[in-house]
Amino acid sequence: MVKLFFNLLFQIPNTVDKHKKNRPGPEITPEIVKEHGLTVEEFRRILDLIGRTPNMTELGIFSVMWSEHCSYKSSRPYLRKLPVESPRVMHGPGENAGVIDIGDGLAVAFKIESHNHPSFIEPHQGAATGVGGIMRDVFTMGARPIALMNSLRFGELEEPRTRFLLNGVVDGISSYGNCTGVPTVGGEIYFDSCYNGNNLVNAFCLGLVKSDRIFLAGAGGVGNQILYVGSKTGRDGIHGASLLASSEFDENTEDKRPTVQVGDPFTEKLLIEACLELFQCDWVVGVQDMGAAGLTSSSFEMAHRAETGVFMDLSKVPLREEGMIPYEILLSESQERMLFVIKPGHEKEALAILDKWGLDAAIIGEVVEESNVRIQFEGKEVVNLPIFPVVDGALDLKRPTKRPEYLNEVVHINLTEIPDFSRGDTALKKLLGCPNIASKEWVYEQYDHMVRLDTLVLPGSDAAVLRIKDTDKAIAISVDCNSRYCYLDPYEGAAIAVAEACRNVVCSGAEPIGLTNCLNFGNPEKPEIMWQFQQSVEGMGDACRFFDIPVVSGNVSLYNETKGDAIYPTPTVAVVGLIEDQKKVMTQGFKKSGDLIALIGFTMEELGGTEYLKVMFDRSEGKPPVLDRKHEKQVQNFCRELIHKGLISSAHDCSEGGLAIAVAESCFSPGCKTLGATLTLESTLRNDTLLFGETQSRIIISFPEERINEIEDLAMAFPVDFSLIGKVGGSHFTIMVNDKEIVKQEIDVLKKIWKTSLGNYAGQTT
């Protein structure tokens, strides 16, 4: 029946299809439509919207623009519910990047975006072009990129394929970022078997821009000229958005290698400088990166935003391969390309600037009044489509949702089934050496994190911090998501991701001012996956509303699934914080022997979803930690107040691995002197939950002993839970619980385990 119905769709009367003789390409068949990733219902809608059968080039345009990657047709109904406004927001979702006002006539533009599927097919180029693409999203706004971060997810390190992907992705990120002169200042890496078939590469970029020199992606002004800028167009990346990024992997995955783009960071560097010079000219009207769907998305979306039309002549597009046809030119995702709209009469000035920087450039069209995109090639019209159906015509898909059955078995851990310990030395060493907790120095030492000399806090602390030159301000950035929590409780897991990212920037002394997200999920055609997505977005939205943080940009990556096995829901968030006085920047490492150690917050008897449970018992189960949002806010505000008053020496978020891991990390934090510590704890909790439970809303601080009365008085005034737990100093890490020694290890031994484990895993050849 479906096949019969599909065939009937092609029996369009000639009176309706009167332009057929002017439409090049083969006849459109059901097989061709299916190959383009379009459903029966979608093709019927195309026919209804344009009143005829599209030609092959036009079908390709609909294919990419209606893909999940470009249209967000499965996710839009949920994304609209996220909070996007605050007094600081200058531009939110809908532009290439979100823009937040930071005062002094300055703003920051930032966004995080996925390049998951290309990085699995070709890890070096996939990751490299992901970095290039996110930078273009930022400098398209008129901002100079000043910081890169990333959130990476890989499968089990015991798998040779995982090590191949890890090394390729890190090398790709490193080579592209280093060559463009933009520092990679931090990020996160997690390993889990759920990513064996789908690694995740989420790239973040932040740029600095003057508040009155922000550029938007609109092709306004009839008669304005369309300027192509950057590399020549080739055949790489064709259908990257529609057939690679918008479908799950199968046994033919490797055949998709040709759809992965190839990047050139040196051209990107020239493009950054050339574009920033063009932005100084008052005749630049609008600009858009040629990212996913290439020239197609940039031209249609720019016209759509300005409510105008566009005429283009593809014969004028700079090409690097012979014999390219309109279909290929429009759908190519060749890298390092931009589309500008400039006022007429300034063409020679623009081309002269771009020639100076050694970039290809050409005037390829103009803005027209009619709300159509008309495209010709070698004197013949090859595309004539109304803009609305292409950009906004894809229906919001109200996909069914269903709570996954596996959650029926997710209950609070029965602690009687988990043996406690009388000594925690073995667990401490195993946790410090596990890939999710061990130092990521092996990764970030490959990145240039000091280029431009603005990095105040080096990678390895809770948040990266960069100075804003010619001001007293600094910007803090943190990327976070515990996908195991999100698997066990998508709503609570996403809310925790927001809370922890905020907590990280607060520990640096910053006030969280904006958030960008990258929502990584499996196949949305499965009701269980859409339920995970719905719950995660709701949890994220509710947390953002409570903490008063706007979501100003983001990305959705679906179909992260191989042969039916989906990744854990991974709603990654990046939070940007503002520090008004860069002299008040805080880091996580202990600074001086004799300082007291204290805990802000309290510890509960929770083990569900913890790294301890996974490492020691290979169990990913139980309810994740509870997030008390009011308590979380009090803890964050108290910590920030301590930093602003100059009362403490260090602050460190207590997260994966729990209290013992957080204190150990503070003993040998990068950039700080290695110092021992002694914890003296009084507790009625089990030893494992006390030391390695992951209760939320906790921060470890250290401070000079003479500050104790002032800090305790402030804690009572807030009020907030506060307790002394130990002292900095010595050559050992010792933990006493109820007057019994539970842990005693040489701090240098623990540091070596923590520092070398990931590199040892990644360097294995068998």
Side-chain angles (χ1 to χ4, degrees):
M1 287 296 294
V2 172
K3 184 175 181 180
L4 175 62
F5 176 60
F6 208 171
N7 287 331
L8 288 173
L9 295 183
F10 294 85
Q11 299 177 13
I12 308 295
N14 290 333
T15 53
V16 175
D17 212 5
K18 60 185 177 182
H19 301 293
K20 183 175 181 179
K21 63 180 180 180
N22 295 321
R23 295 183 292 102
E27 181 181 355
I28 305 302
T29 65
E31 290 72 25
I32 288 176
V33 172
K34 185 177 180 180
E35 288 171 2
H36 280 72
L38 294 165
T39 66
V40 171
E41 293 77 10
E42 287 173 326
F43 188 71
R44 163 60 74 183
R45 181 163 174 78
I46 291 170
L47 299 182
D48 290 341
L49 287 171
I50 69 174
R52 59 178 174 82
T53 306
N55 63 42
M56 179 63 90
T57 302
E58 292 170 335
L59 184 70
I61 288 172
F62 275 107
S63 171
V64 293
M65 294 300 290
W66 284 18
S67 67
E68 288 286 358
H69 192 76
C70 291
S71 72
Y72 287 41
K73 55 193 176 186
S74 294
S75 56
R76 280 188 301 190
Y78 303 104
L79 299 179
R80 291 191 184 107
K81 299 176 182 179
L82 291 172
V84 298
E85 296 179 349
S86 86
R88 289 188 181 273
V89 175
M90 300 183 71
H91 296 284
E95 286 295 333
N96 288 294
V99 183
I100 294 280
D101 185 4
I102 62 171
D104 292 335
L106 297 172
V108 287
F110 57 93
K111 185 181 183 182
I112 189 169
E113 192 164 61
S114 65
H115 227 225
N116 302 334
H117 288 65
S119 299
F120 185 80
I121 301 295
E122 216 311 305
H124 179 98
Q125 288 297 343
T129 52
V131 173
I134 197 63
M135 280 200 289
R136 289 193 297 278
D137 280 338
V138 166
F139 72 75
T140 292
M141 305 297 295
R144 176 177 287 280
I146 63 170
L148 294 166
M149 296 185 78
N150 49 72
S151 174
L152 311 177
R153 296 289 192 281
F154 296 97
E156 297 167 300
L157 266 173
E158 291 76 11
E159 293 288 328
R161 171 76 179 178
T162 296
R163 295 194 294 274
F164 164 74
L165 291 171
L166 171 63
N167 281 276
V169 165
V170 170
D171 186 55
I173 291 171
S174 170
S175 64
Y176 206 99
N178 293 354
C179 290
T180 56
V182 181
T184 302
V185 295
E188 62 163 3
I189 307 178
Y190 278 81
F191 299 87
D192 193 280
S193 60
C194 75
Y195 302 106
N196 281 345
N198 285 84
N199 60 298
L200 302 184
V201 176
N202 294 175
F204 169 92
C205 182
L206 179 138
L208 186 64
V209 61
K210 291 184 178 179
S211 301
D212 60 353
R213 297 300 296 170
I214 298 168
F215 285 82
L216 306 180
V222 174
N224 284 338
Q225 301 295 289
I226 307 295
L227 174 65
Y228 175 110
V229 176
S231 296
K232 289 182 171 67
T233 295
R235 291 188 171 95
D236 50 325
I238 293 174
H239 275 301
S242 56
L243 301 185
L244 179 60
S246 299
S247 59
E248 65 180 74
F249 286 155
D250 54 28
E251 61 274 3
N252 299 316
T253 291
E254 291 296 328
D255 296 339
K256 298 178 181 180
R257 188 178 298 274
T259 65
V260 177
Q261 311 94 320
V262 177
D264 179 357
F266 299 105
T267 298
E268 180 96 347
K269 174 60 175 173
L270 296 174
L271 189 61
I272 292 172
E273 301 304 328
C275 288
L276 292 176
E277 184 171 342
L278 284 174
F279 291 145
Q280 303 305 310
C281 305
D282 59 8
W283 36 262
V284 173
V285 177
V287 58
Q288 172 88 333
D289 163 40
M290 281 191 243
L295 184 56
T296 292
S297 62
S298 56
S299 57
F300 273 89
E301 289 175 1
M302 289 182 79
H304 181 261
R305 289 189 182 101
E307 298 182 349
T308 57
V310 164
F311 167 78
M312 292 190 298
D313 185 351
L314 299 185
S315 305
K316 298 179 179 179
V317 172
L319 303 177
R320 70 164 181 262
E321 298 184 48
E322 295 183 0
M324 290 188 71
I325 60 174
Y327 183 98
E328 297 171 319
I329 297 170
L330 286 168
L331 301 190
S332 167
E333 294 183 8
S334 293
Q335 295 294 286
E336 294 89 37
R337 301 181 301 157
M338 311 283 282
L339 204 62
F340 276 77
V341 176
I342 64 173
K343 294 178 181 178
H346 299 279
E347 295 88 344
K348 289 184 178 180
E349 295 172 69
L351 294 173
I353 290 173
L354 296 164
D355 181 65
K356 181 183 73 172
W357 289 101
L359 295 170
D360 286 289
I363 301 296
I364 65 170
E366 65 177 356
V367 179
V368 297
E369 186 172 356
E370 60 177 327
S371 188
N372 274 40
V373 170
R374 292 188 297 108
I375 300 173
Q376 71 175 29
F377 180 67
E378 296 180 348
K380 296 181 180 179
E381 184 175 274
V382 293
V383 171
N384 189 341
L385 288 173
I387 292 170
F388 169 79
V390 175
V391 177
D392 270 342
L395 290 172
D396 287 352
L397 297 182
K398 297 180 180 178
R399 295 193 185 275
T401 62
K402 179 183 178 183
R403 187 175 185 271
E405 291 186 6
Y406 75 82
L407 288 176
N408 295 332
E409 300 178 5
V410 175
V411 295
H412 288 290
I413 291 290
N414 183 352
L415 293 176
T416 61
E417 298 177 356
I418 308 295
D420 198 1
F421 53 76
S422 57
R423 293 199 63 86
D425 304 76
T426 299
L428 176 65
K429 289 190 284 188
K430 282 190 175 182
L431 282 167
L432 285 171
C434 80
N436 289 346
I437 289 176
S439 170
K440 307 307 185 289
E441 184 176 342
W442 175 84
V443 175
Y444 62 70
E445 70 181 1
Q446 301 180 53
Y447 303 153
D448 187 341
H449 44 264
M450 287 302 295
V451 63
R452 303 189 63 82
L453 302 178
D454 291 329
T455 308
L456 292 176
V457 176
L458 302 179
S461 199
D462 283 318
V465 182
L466 296 101
R467 69 165 58 87
I468 304 299
K469 287 178 179 175
D470 301 320
T471 75
D472 294 328
K473 301 176 188 293
I475 292 293
I477 318 162
S478 178
V479 180
D480 204 270
C481 179
N482 187 314
S483 54
R484 190 182 300 129
Y485 293 171
C486 295
Y487 174 73
L488 297 171
D489 187 334
Y491 178 93
E492 200 71 5
I496 288 174
V498 174
E500 184 172 345
C502 291
R503 199 183 315 137
N504 286 335
V505 301
V506 164
C507 285
S508 72
E511 174 193 358
I513 59 173
L515 179 148
T516 179
N517 59 38
C518 193
L519 309 177
N520 308 271
F521 290 80
N523 186 343
E525 297 165 36
K526 297 181 178 179
E528 294 82 1
I529 299 297
M530 280 311 300
W531 186 89
Q532 290 176 338
F533 185 90
Q534 175 194 38
Q535 291 293 305
S536 295
V537 173
E538 288 183 4
M540 182 178 296
D542 288 347
C544 286
R545 273 182 284 272
F546 185 84
F547 296 117
D548 197 23
I549 303 169
V551 180
V552 298
S553 59
N555 172 239
V556 175
S557 175
L558 302 176
Y559 292 98
N560 292 290
E561 190 162 324
T562 297
K563 298 179 181 179
D565 293 328
I567 63 165
Y568 284 170
T570 312
T572 304
V573 301
V575 168
V576 173
L578 177 63
I579 301 172
E580 292 288 353
D581 183 358
Q582 58 186 244
K583 295 177 183 177
K584 299 292 181 67
V585 171
M586 186 57 58
T587 58
Q588 70 184 35
F590 294 147
K591 306 300 188 299
K592 185 179 178 182
S593 290
D595 277 0
L596 300 181
I597 305 170
L599 172 67
I600 307 173
F602 54 81
T603 303
M604 298 172 61
E605 203 156 67
E606 300 172 306
L607 276 185
T610 59
E611 199 67 24
Y612 170 79
L613 202 62
K614 176 64 176 176
V615 169
M616 299 303 293
F617 302 99
D618 195 25
R619 294 172 67 169
S620 299
E621 58 189 63
K623 292 283 187 181
V626 174
L627 177 65
D628 183 326
R629 295 170 192 166
K630 184 177 179 181
H631 181 235
E632 175 76 43
K633 204 169 194 176
Q634 286 290 85
V635 166
Q636 291 186 20
N637 290 342
F638 178 61
C639 181
R640 189 165 55 244
E641 186 71 8
L642 292 176
I643 295 170
H644 289 179
K645 288 182 178 294
L647 298 176
I648 61 176
S649 305
S650 70
H652 184 23
D653 164 42
C654 189
S655 55
E656 283 84 5
L659 177 67
I661 295 299
V663 175
E665 289 172 339
S666 296
C667 289
F668 39 70
S669 182
C672 296
K673 183 180 179 181
T674 300
L675 295 167
T678 298
L679 300 186
T680 305
L681 308 173
E682 298 291 331
S683 177
T684 59
L685 301 178
R686 291 164 48 113
N687 291 331
D688 51 7
T689 59
L690 175 64
L691 300 191
F692 305 119
E694 296 175 6
T695 296
Q696 295 298 294
S697 312
R698 295 184 298 167
I699 296 174
I700 302 294
I701 61 172
S702 66
F703 53 89
E705 189 168 358
E706 60 267 24
R707 297 290 193 182
I708 181 62
N709 291 334
E710 195 173 351
I711 293 174
E712 286 183 333
D713 289 345
L714 192 60
M716 291 180 64
F718 250 75
V720 69
D721 290 277
F722 173 84
S723 55
L724 289 173
I725 62 171
K727 199 168 194 176
V728 178
S731 60
H732 287 75
F733 181 40
T734 304
I735 302 177
M736 305 291 294
V737 179
N738 300 330
D739 297 325
K740 292 183 179 179
E741 184 183 276
I742 301 299
V743 168
K744 186 170 186 179
Q745 291 288 318
E746 290 184 23
I747 199 66
D748 288 338
V749 171
L750 296 180
K751 180 179 180 179
K752 184 177 180 180
I753 293 170
W754 174 79
K755 188 174 181 178
T756 62
S757 293
L758 180 58
N760 290 340
Y761 277 117
Q764 292 177 14
T765 57
T766 58

